[in-house]
Amino acid sequence: MVVDPRLSINQATIKYADLATALRVTQDAGVQAIGVWREPVHEVGLDVAARMLTDSGLRFTTHCRSGFFTMPEGPARRASIDDNRVAIEEAATLAAAGAPGSTAVLVLVAGGLVDGSRDLIGARERVREALGELVPDAAAAGVQLAIEPLHPMYASDRCVVSTLGQALDIAADFDAATVGVTVDTFHIWWDRDVLASIARAGAEGRIATYQVCDWKTPLAADVLLSRHYPGDGVIDFASLTRAVEATGYDRDIEVEIFKEEIWATEPLEAVRRTAAGFAAAVSPHLLESRS
């Protein structure tokens, strides 16, 4: 099987693989790029992780994830802001360690409502305020912060930003080189305004990363773990991918899957299955290819 050169494996897809294993199986499957999660990096230390990434010859596409700053002012919010600053430096270091074509992108998940709160508007405003604090650090490090809207079913506990339009409205206060958005098919496929929002994101230069996986019902009891290989569900990858491509987006495209059955699969087999699904469902709609 020919592996699409723009495919990137987000490490969440092989969650139980440590960093060394994730890098190895990604290489062995013929995939050229990887999106890394913070926890596996912390297990080995940032310097070691950067050397491992360099030795792998893989491109680095995103650092996942940071954010979670919807709480009111106080020690918890200060700790979150400080941790986001650490994540920014991690993203910069790893992007510099990756192969040519790596992108210094830090994916941000806003956070949900704090206990006892029903104030969605206020929570979203605190996200904007947090970005205002972090933008100078991100700009200095050359990192693009990528606000990721999550499906509305996660609004209460995980992310108060539910649509691409909301993410773009928050990002609008900041330079696009420093604050962009994550376009993740799982979270936005249902939105009637999604194609217009993708076009807007492209016109504003804010598409930091394009992530794909599929949606199929019934959802798992834990709705966080309800993602599928591309092509196994109902998402129209043709229209979404063509819309992203039409903006001029030519970066790598990540497959990010949260699913127990896939995590239980031998990692190399999961990566190969991911590559096959991507080739069938996404690749036919791409305009730009890497050499």
Side-chain angles (χ1 to χ4, degrees), residues 68-148:
F68 296 96
F69 29 50
T70 52
M71 66 284 286
E73 186 55 58
R77 183 172 176 85
R78 287 301 101 203
S80 175
I81 297 293
D82 289 343
D83 185 58
N84 275 268
R85 291 192 171 106
V86 172
I88 288 169
E89 293 303 320
E90 292 169 357
T93 298
L94 292 168
S102 295
T103 49
V105 173
L106 176 63
V107 175
L108 299 182
V109 174
L113 291 172
V114 297
D115 288 345
S117 175
R118 294 178 174 84
D119 184 12
L120 272 173
I121 294 173
R124 290 178 186 137
E125 184 57 32
R126 287 190 289 276
V127 174
R128 189 191 311 272
E129 292 168 355
L131 286 168
E133 292 192 58
L134 295 171
V135 156
D137 301 273
V143 170
Q144 188 176 29
L145 305 175
I147 306 168
E148 180 171 15

